[in-house]
Amino acid sequence: MNTIIEQMLRIYDDQSPMDKRDVKKEIMQEMVLCGLSRAGFFKKAAFYGGTALRIFYGLDRFSEDLDFSLKAKDESFDLNTYFPILKKEIAAFGLQVDIEEKVKSIESQIQSAFLKGNTRKHLLLFYGNQALSGIHPGEKIRIKFEVDINPPEYAGFEHRYRLLPSPYEVALYDAPSLFAGKIHAVLCRGWKNRVKGRDLYDYVFFLSRNIPVNLAHLQARLQQNGYLKRGEVFSLTDLKQHLSNRFETIDYKQTKDDVIPFIRNFDSLQVWNAHFFKQITEQLVAT
């Protein structure tokens, strides 16, 4: 086994059992971050979203994708330019992957790509023959990463370091700006009463750690997608009312079903209802 992979697998020894596919994917996510860092990606972009929250703030749930945002708008940005170095860096850890940009049929401010590798070959590298039962030879692991090339204003950034798979530096949204992105998702992602349970789970995570929300950045996000009008007054009191209205419309059974595959402890979901979310929102503060 690759000694770097062996070191990273030890991190999971003292944790509750995780599906080997999830463990492998989490380790590969960090290899992607390391590769992007080596390629100079974080000079222009910052990491945000659920996976950023898991890796750098200890969120206790699995997150599938890697989400990034440019630090400033750049319509000429080309994600493809980072693929050769990224692929080379991942290969240095013994993993053979393909990277393909997702071609969109309509204009979008989001550039997307998929990193793909053979699940069976990678599990063999990670775990040996013990992990191969029931794995189809052609099964592929997919890691999706997206970059917002027209980011909302007023985000705050910080720089963090990781030691494995090799020391590297990442630029990421600071905690209040991450919280702003999550509240934006709670208010806007989904359709009618269908909200991602993962967004609600993360919302509780932020509040439980007394993290304030970057209100100016949240307002810019909500204006960019048309939820708020330009120039509309938007105070912390207004935000709490918007959230309260949202919590009244949610199908909580559906949200619990959504998040269950991504967490190991389901007990905290028992209290999920409109009254719970409205009450904990009273402690929300802003920067």
Side-chain angles (χ1 to χ4, degrees):
M1 181 190 297
N2 181 295
T3 55
I4 297 297
I5 293 174
E6 190 173 14
Q7 282 181 271
M8 298 183 78
L9 284 172
R10 288 197 197 109
I11 297 170
Y12 296 88
D13 287 347
D14 297 328
Q15 297 184 13
S16 56
M18 292 178 64
D19 185 279
K20 288 182 171 61
R21 287 182 178 88
D22 289 349
V23 171
K24 178 179 63 117
K25 199 166 187 178
E26 287 192 357
I27 290 174
M28 289 182 67
Q29 286 172 341
E30 296 220 44
M31 290 177 176
V32 171
L33 291 175
C34 181
L36 288 172
S37 179
R38 298 282 179 83
F41 178 76
F42 292 108
K43 294 177 182 178
K44 287 190 172 184
F47 190 27
Y48 76 103
T51 309
L53 205 57
R54 174 181 62 77
I55 293 175
F56 292 99
Y57 288 93
L59 176 67
D60 58 340
R61 74 165 178 87
F62 175 65
S63 181
E64 292 182 300
D65 302 328
L66 297 171
D67 299 308
F68 305 98
S69 171
L70 295 187
K71 297 174 185 177
K73 181 179 178 180
D74 182 1
E75 294 182 350
S76 66
F77 179 81
D78 184 4
L79 185 56
N80 282 280
T81 60
Y82 299 94
F83 292 172
I85 298 178
L86 176 57
K87 189 173 180 179
K88 180 181 178 181
E89 290 292 333
I90 294 175
F93 300 117
L95 302 180
Q96 301 303 314
V97 298
D98 294 315
I99 306 172
E100 301 174 3
E101 184 175 17
K102 181 180 178 181
V103 179
K104 295 185 179 291
S105 57
I106 57 175
E107 285 294 318
S108 171
Q109 68 181 40
I110 304 296
Q111 291 187 15
S112 305
F114 287 97
L115 181 146
K116 301 177 182 179
N118 183 277
T119 299
R120 188 179 178 88
K121 289 180 181 179
H122 288 175
L123 283 175
L124 181 62
L125 179 65
F126 276 55
Y127 295 105
N129 290 323
Q130 61 174 309
L132 298 184
S133 177
I135 305 295
H136 189 277
E139 181 180 318
K140 296 286 186 181
I141 184 173
R142 288 156 52 99
I143 295 176
K144 181 180 180 182
F145 50 106
E146 295 188 332
V147 184
D148 185 347
I149 64 171
N150 183 22
E153 295 180 308
Y154 310 118
F157 305 102
E158 62 178 330
H159 289 260
R160 294 283 192 100
Y161 299 89
R162 298 286 284 180
L163 296 178
L164 292 174
S166 179
Y168 67 97
E169 180 182 11
V170 167
L172 72 155
Y173 275 33
D174 63 17
S177 302
L178 286 171
F179 197 9
K182 187 53 57 177
I183 291 178
H184 174 266
V186 170
L187 291 173
C188 301
R189 184 154 61 181
W191 184 75
K192 291 187 177 180
N193 65 342
R194 296 183 65 84
V195 175
K196 283 192 173 183
R198 285 159 279 179
D199 292 334
L200 292 183
Y201 191 85
D202 297 356
Y203 180 77
V204 174
F205 177 86
F206 279 106
L207 287 177
S208 70
R209 282 152 181 79
N210 300 312
I211 295 172
V213 59
N214 180 339
L215 193 63
H217 179 58
L218 175 58
Q219 183 173 7
R221 280 188 172 275
L222 293 172
Q223 288 174 341
Q224 187 181 68
N225 78 340
Y227 183 93
L228 292 178
K229 296 178 181 178
R230 298 285 176 181
E232 183 177 344
V233 175
F234 187 66
S235 66
L236 180 60
T237 300
D238 295 323
L239 171 58
K240 289 181 179 180
Q241 187 59 57
H242 282 279
L243 285 166
S244 178
N245 295 341
R246 182 60 158 159
F247 294 140
E248 287 286 357
T249 68
I250 290 173
D251 178 345
Y252 288 97
K253 181 183 182 305
Q254 178 264 318
T255 57
K256 292 176 186 179
D257 291 342
D258 171 78
V259 77
I260 281 174
F262 299 90
I263 62 176
R264 297 297 178 267
N265 182 2
F266 310 136
D267 293 341
S268 64
L269 306 183
Q270 294 179 12
V271 297
W272 280 22
N273 56 45
H275 181 68
F276 166 72
F277 281 99
K278 289 166 69 174
Q279 187 173 102
I280 65 173
T281 296
E282 294 174 6
Q283 69 189 59
L284 178 65
V285 296
T287 58

